Amino acid sequence: MTQLPTTTREIHLASRPEGWPTPENFRLTEVDIPVLADGQILVVNHHMSVDPYMRGRMNDSKSYTSSFQIDQPLEGAAVGEVIASTSDDVPVGTTVLHGLGWREHAVVKASDAKKVDPSLASESAYLGALGMTGLTAYAGLTYAGQFTEGDAVFVSGAAGAVGSIVGQIAKASGASRVIGSAGSAEKVARLKELGFDEAFNYHDGDVAGQLQNAAPEGIDVYFDNVGGDHLEAALNSLNVHGRVAMCGDISQYNATEPAPGPRNLALAIGKRLRLHGLLVGDYADVQPEFVEKVGGWLQAGEISYRETIVDGLEQAPQAFIDLLGGANTGKMIVRL
Ligand SMILES: NC(=O)c1ccc[n+]([C@@H]2O[C@H](COP(=O)([O-])OP(=O)(O)OC[C@H]3O[C@@H](n4cnc5c(N)ncnc54)[C@H](OP(=O)(O)O)[C@@H]3O)[C@@H](O)[C@H]2O)c1
């Protein structure tokens, strides 16, 4: 029988970021692994997710999720293998998805862990295209954005984890035109490879003008990952009865002052627009439909995903900072 580890390493929040996070906001710490209580499992984490929403949890402010606490471990999605268990339901050897990332080993309540099948897809896919980000893309476009065949769709943050899946789902579902924006020429080229009809680099400036050129007939759905100038540009280009799936506001996550605008919000009146904020947690009931549809497209090769993989727990803080800066194409994953 192999010896179980008695200690592990985890990343704690050392201080709250002001504006952009820095490595000093994080601390790598060695801790004892507690003895398992009844109904718990010990998981060796193989992959963990870093996600933009974690930036909000680093603030001490009221939000839809709780704040991370100073000197306590960060949390987030992770996938790994059960190496000890006091639960008959989740035996040793099971691969599970759970919420205690940012550490090499996690003691998890068995009922909080979800079994995943590593023979169907790579473990890391359950953190991305087949996991929370994929569901966000599918449910956001379908239900918040009320996409229907023939719609012209604009998605910002289009080369990222959520955005790249949104654009491909729209294409696979019969969008008349799919436009994406991203932060580099390489990412724009990637969007074309993925089948986007038009793509532009928002660093080239004049987001509203670039969107208008890319969609001269206007857009029907805007999937917003970015907020700020992108939302303003989309409001200009949206057609009557257009819809906005408000998914993220990443251009503002490190802002120290509230964002002005969008200055043209009143356009929503005349165009009878529908702006729908979405939280993926509200769409648990869509999970089976998501697995069937998106799983099917993935299997058929109609949609594909990319990952940016960083190795080692000690690199997780920098991976998170780099995610906010756009270093990733597709899902940012830390392999432990
Ligand atoms: N509502 C929900 O339930 C939910 C769930 C999941 C994700 N989200 C949101 O969805 C968005 C995408 O998340 P994700 O996990 O897929 O992350 P991601 O897109 O893979 O990574 C974040 C990307 O944001 C872009 N970015 C950073 N600063 C920007 C700026 N000022 N303007 C425009 N783009 C900027 C960067 O790409 P560039 O190189 O293109 O700048 C970066 O790669 C985030 O806003 C996130 O908070 C919401």
Side-chain angles (χ1 to χ4, degrees), residues 23-108:
E24 289 70 38
N25 297 130
F26 304 85
R27 186 187 306 116
L28 180 65
T29 308
E30 181 145 357
V31 296
D32 290 335
I33 298 175
V35 174
L36 295 189
D38 248 9
Q40 287 186 327
I41 53 176
L42 176 62
V43 183
V44 57
N45 285 336
H46 294 156
H47 295 91
M48 57 163 268
S49 181
V50 286
D51 297 281
Y53 79 88
M54 293 169 175
R55 176 64 189 84
R57 294 191 69 185
M58 290 171 192
N59 296 334
D60 186 17
S61 55
K62 204 165 158 21
S63 148
Y64 62 91
T65 47
S66 56
S67 295
F68 293 132
Q69 297 303 305
I70 306 275
D71 296 331
Q72 294 297 314
L74 300 173
E75 294 176 3
V79 181
E81 186 186 339
V82 177
I83 55 169
S85 173
T86 57
S87 158
D88 292 340
D89 295 338
V90 189
V92 168
T94 313
T95 303
V96 290
L97 169 69
H98 62 90
L100 295 182
W102 292 92
R103 65 201 81 190
E104 288 171 332
H105 298 84
V107 173
V108 183

Side-chain angles (χ1 to χ4, degrees), residues 13 43 85 107 136 179 197 200 214 246 269 280:
L13 184 66
V43 183
S85 173
V107 173
T136 305
I179 303 114
D197 298 290
F200 63 86
M246 298 186 70
I269 304 164
V280 62

Side-chain angles (χ1 to χ4, degrees), residues 137-138 141 147 153-175 177-180 191 194-198 223 225 297 302-304:
Y138 179 75
L141 182 67
F147 170 84
V153 176
F154 170 47
V155 53
S156 55
V162 172
S164 57
I165 303 295
V166 170
Q168 293 180 85
I169 293 175
K171 256 337 247 186
S173 307
R177 195 174 182 78
V178 177
I179 303 114
L191 296 181
L194 287 178
F196 283 63
D197 298 290
E198 290 291 338
F223 194 104
N225 286 316
W297 282 320
E302 268 193 74
I303 69 177
S304 64

Side-chain angles (χ1 to χ4, degrees), residues 20 49-54 64 132-133 136-137 156-164 181-184 187 202-203 223-227 229-230 246-254 277-283 322-332:
W20 275 86
S49 181
V50 286
D51 297 281
Y53 79 88
M54 293 169 175
Y64 62 91
M132 184 272 279
T133 50
T136 305
S156 55
V162 172
S164 57
S181 67
S184 71
K187 289 186 179 184
Y202 67 88
H203 288 306
F223 194 104
D224 189 15
N225 286 316
V226 165
D229 54 355
H230 280 75
M246 298 186 70
C247 176
D249 195 24
I250 198 164
S251 67
Q252 306 304 316
Y253 290 172
N254 294 310
L278 76 108
L279 284 180
V280 62
D282 292 344
Y283 294 98
D322 289 346
L323 166 79
L324 297 177
N328 61 308
T329 300
K331 180 80 189 90
M332 183 69 110

